[in-house]
Amino acid sequence: MATEAAYLAGVVKDDTLARLIEDIESAASRARKAEPGDRTDIARFEALMTRLEQRAAGVDRAGRLPLPDPAAYAEVTLVGDDPARWPGEMPASVRAAATAIVARGLVPVLVVEPLDAGVTARPGDAQSAPDPAERWDAGGARGRRAVEARFRAQICEALSGPKPRPIAPSGINNSVVTEMLREFADAEPGVPARRVPVEYRDGSRSANPMPLRALPLRGQLEPSDLTLRFALLSIRHTEMDAVVDGAWLRNAEISRPRPAAQTDDLVYDITRQQLDELARHGSRVRLDLYQTGLETAVVGFYKALADHLLAHPRSVAVQPMYYDGASPAGERDRSAGITVDSAPFRKGTPWTM
């Protein structure tokens, strides 16, 4: 039988231990300042803490102070022998015991072991497993069409339920996501506007919900004072670099490993800032947006566009341009004046008021 255990160990202080503690504090400080998704210093911190715990594990059991309720200490990190630098959330009993260890000239180390000799405590009242979720019927659709049908059903459920339920755009073609968000962002008589959470396959949820049934959108673009052509992400189709005005987002900044919702939020923040800058001059701007893949960038952009249009109606219009690998190579997009030999594009439904 095994159980979880927690204890305080007094480790003899030497130069090696002092350097190890300095490295741990440095890694923790750098990890707090790291960009979202950058785990370099987090991994370094975890490796160094493992070395410290191995030192503590070498302390004889007679020199360990057992602690009750190990789960209470799972997120408490005790490093070094300076009480002023210990975490404020540390229980008073642990702080008193650690102070006593310091008084003996030793360094206290808090260790939580997931497996120790003993019997695992069991709750008095066992909880039964919840009933399985009701199977969703795709109406005979399979593969990609079933995924698209499920996304549409999610949006309809989010609009009709007593409170908004999250929609999940992961794994759906970017043109389908854009067209569905455009369809349901359009205001409809008798249907109240609603902000719907966006959740991704990895379980992360964006801080910015999608406004639905909130915008009186039009089907046709009107003349604009300025037309700009942007690739949504840089380095996706480098052959376009000579003919577009720029990339809306830097691939090196957006495509880093991080929870999907954090990428969505980053794109949202960048897009709101850049759209606000375009609107600041009072001109009506048209953006031809050439987009491929990465649903977090697509969703983050159009959420920001919807919120921008709510704050600044008619200041900007966006013409989505979808990569269409099935179209003949060398096809010319006459409206944009672009010939892309290996990357033909087709128009989507414009976002304009």
Side-chain angles (χ1 to χ4, degrees):
M1 301 293 287
T3 186
E4 191 176 44
Y7 63 85
L8 271 174
V11 182
V12 177
K13 188 172 184 179
D14 54 26
D15 291 343
T16 300
L17 181 63
R19 286 195 297 271
L20 178 58
I21 291 174
E22 289 178 2
D23 290 343
I24 289 172
E25 292 176 337
S26 171
S29 176
R30 290 172 62 89
R32 284 191 291 268
K33 301 174 184 176
E35 295 186 9
D38 184 354
R39 290 189 51 86
T40 302
D41 287 293
I42 294 176
R44 178 168 168 257
F45 172 82
E46 292 173 346
L48 292 168
M49 284 298 296
T50 298
R51 289 173 53 190
L52 181 62
E53 290 173 355
Q54 289 172 344
R55 288 286 299 267
V59 175
D60 188 85
R61 281 188 174 269
R64 301 178 186 179
L65 175 63
L67 300 172
D69 190 14
Y73 314 110
E75 298 183 4
V76 176
T77 302
L78 175 62
V79 177
D81 55 357
D82 182 1
R85 303 173 75 170
W86 293 344
E89 67 273 15
M90 190 163 59
S93 58
V94 178
R95 180 176 290 273
T99 302
I101 290 175
V102 172
R104 292 160 47 197
L106 302 174
V107 178
V109 178
L110 174 62
V111 179
V112 178
E113 291 187 340
L115 297 174
D116 195 38
V119 178
T120 302
R122 299 184 181 278
D125 297 324
Q127 300 291 323
S128 61
D131 293 333
E134 183 179 348
R135 183 182 180 90
W136 182 75
D137 183 7
R142 293 182 176 275
R144 174 175 166 178
R145 291 187 179 278
V147 173
E148 295 171 4
R150 179 56 181 148
F151 187 52
R152 175 179 291 277
Q154 285 180 348
I155 298 177
C156 292
E157 290 170 6
L159 287 171
S160 60
K163 67 177 184 178
R165 298 179 61 182
I167 58 175
S170 296
I172 304 175
N173 181 276
N174 85 90
S175 63
V176 174
V177 170
T178 305
E179 291 297 308
M180 283 198 190
L181 292 181
R182 163 64 175 77
E183 175 186 344
F184 287 98
D186 194 7
E188 186 173 286
V191 179
R194 175 172 279 189
R195 290 186 172 272
V196 175
V198 176
E199 190 170 277
Y200 289 91
R201 183 179 293 155
D202 61 3
S204 60
R205 181 176 292 194
S206 170
N208 306 291
M210 177 70 200
L212 299 179
R213 297 306 185 204
L215 297 167
L217 297 174
R218 300 167 57 90
Q220 300 292 328
L221 291 166
E222 294 183 341
S224 59
D225 301 316
L226 175 66
T227 297
L228 299 171
R229 298 189 295 268
F230 281 101
L232 178 61
L233 278 167
S234 63
I235 318 299
R236 284 299 177 105
H237 290 292
T238 54
E239 63 269 31
M240 293 182 60
D241 289 353
V243 288
V244 296
D245 297 305
W248 190 258
L249 304 166
R250 293 181 65 245
N251 204 4
E253 183 178 13
I254 301 303
S255 298
R256 295 182 180 180
R258 61 170 73 90
Q262 290 185 10
T263 299
D264 176 318
D265 293 337
L266 177 61
V267 172
Y268 178 93
D269 292 340
I270 293 172
T271 300
R272 285 302 304 268
Q273 294 171 9
Q274 293 179 172
L275 290 175
D276 287 346
E277 179 63 24
L278 288 175
R280 189 170 62 86
H281 302 287
S283 301
R284 181 170 171 82
V285 180
R286 167 180 166 173
L287 299 180
D288 288 345
L289 191 70
Y290 292 78
Q291 58 190 67
T292 55
L294 196 58
E295 64 268 13
T296 50
V298 172
V299 175
F301 175 87
Y302 285 103
K303 284 194 301 180
L305 173 63
D307 281 340
H308 175 83
L309 289 174
L310 288 171
H312 308 282
R314 298 174 57 81
S315 61
V316 64
V318 173
Q319 172 63 71
M321 302 295 295
Y322 306 130
Y323 174 72
D324 188 0
S327 297
E331 178 178 301
R332 173 177 288 275
D333 172 12
R334 298 185 182 279
S335 64
I338 294 178
T339 300
V340 184
D341 291 340
S342 61
F345 286 79
R346 59 182 175 84
K347 290 182 179 180
T349 307
W351 291 62
T352 182
M353 294 175 67

